[in-house]
Amino acid sequence: MNALAKKLGILGLMILLMSIVLPGAAFAEEGPRFSLSVSKTAPAVGEEIEVEIKASQVKDMVAFELNLYFNPQLWDTSAIQYSSGLAGFSSVTQQNLWSEGHFQAVYTKISASAGENGDVILGKVKFKAKANGSATFTLRSILVGQLGESEDKFTKYTPNVQAQAVIHDRGVGGGNNGNNGNNGNNGNNGNNGKGNGQQASGSQLQITASPNQDGVVQISVDPGNLKSVIDQVAGDRVTIAIQSDAEVKKIEVEIPMEQIRYAASKNVQMIGIDSGLATLYMNKDLFAREGSSASVLQFTVSQVDASSLPAAAGAIVGNHPIYDFDLKLDGRSVSQFVGKEVAVEVPYTLQPGEKPGNIVIYYVSNSGQLEVVKNAKYDPATGKVSFKPKHFSMYFPTHESGTFNDLSEAAWAKESIEALAARKAVNGVGNNRFSPNSDVSRAEFIAMLVNLFDLADATAKSSLSDVHEQAWYYTPIATAEKLGIVEGKNDTTFGVDDKITRQDMAVMMYRAARTFGYGLKPGDSASRFSDQDDIAGYASEVVTVMQQAAILNGISEGVFAPQGFSTRAQAAAVLYRIFDKN
């Protein structure tokens, strides 16, 4: 292949790179080094800066694809410009990614000239500032094509080098363009360029913030202040507490990921953001899974007008506030949360006649459909509802007032039954009846358990011969089998219609609690059941654990009755106990 053909081949490959993202490769031990620099470290809103991307120790470079990340909330993405002084073909690609904070550009030589060597300026990207804040640019990856002896080769590098700038209002002190220091507004007692005062206090970073002209509070957390809190925190949680005007309906918070990773290195388990509207708690597992290379975390919470929802949804919302949440890393929304990675608290004022166990959270889909969040719990002591979302969108708290007309037959379990019904975890038997004193089958109990803890897995398959794929109980039993909560009998059946025994109910709940990480903390020391020896070997230890955790009680003084059958009311009561304790 002659040199010109080689260059044209490179050009074709680079055009292909405009529409796909090549798989990553390991960072080469030897090769070029990369750096970023900015023309201004403290631009004012409306001013432009240039980000220069430079490579050193380059050898025979004939093509590259660079990927630069930034916070799109701080820069006017419609004004981005790219230039390169290299001879050849240069182009920006995937402009649709700019709104997500991702800039991509490609370059290739198209002549028969030699490749680039030594120190090379790859290009300059011009940005126009649009909002106050601490901005970070990150060159996350770059694909470099080199001219080889027999063929051209491409290597992907992941330098993750950064450059910073602090954007401020015109006339406000801040570095190159103003007064940076005691006489400016850039310290703990000043306004940090956004009307924000930030002060470390114990395990909290306290921030006082004022809304902008649009009524939005925008906060860029100062890395030094956050590090001070992390260094002195005594527990496993750091909280960013924000105080602002009572009428504020939207708050945007930006946190440098470098400090979040630093917190994890100091064994901080949880980062909290108390925005005043709602409180977000993020477990370090989230950042290990999603944010290992991110530069900036952006959290937004706003209150939404119920009039924007479909009429059917609006009727359920009533006058309760609707919260719209969003969490981004480098401008990319985090679409899914796993397990206990994220928890949220929102305020709720209990009204006369409302029951704490019946306070729930609803998720509002983009189409206006409602779905109850089953893990939501109201704490009367704090006046807040906490829940663990699977993703972010719109949510609101409300009280579910439904009941059954036969609960007087088991008044002792009324609260538990209504709380489970509010979460759509149990159903009646028809005619608004629950039939609390009827025995519960093994299939019914597993359905109640799987529904309450939102474990249903539509992809699960059952190997048990009497679990039929088209039956109502198939998915709950198949899910429980997949998770190790249930096993078949010796004859490979489940016994879907068999009445569940009290000892089997204990075993299934124990396995479920272990599966989703619920703690079964011992309470007061419980005395041994008088019929302990009648409990099957596979259930004896489990029953003791559940008894000590105050989940299971005897049916009479000191008697457990392991082979006795559980009623629907008893099943609901023990399920709600384990739910309420975690």
Side-chain angles (χ1 to χ4, degrees), residues 176 244 384 425:
N176 294 349
S244 188
K384 294 182 178 180

Side-chain angles (χ1 to χ4, degrees), residues 198-200 203-207 221-222 225-226 229 239-241:
Q198 304 190 14
Q199 183 173 357
S203 63
Q204 285 193 349
L205 176 59
Q206 298 175 347
I207 301 177
V221 174
D222 181 81
N225 291 335
L226 183 55
V229 175
T239 302
I240 299 166

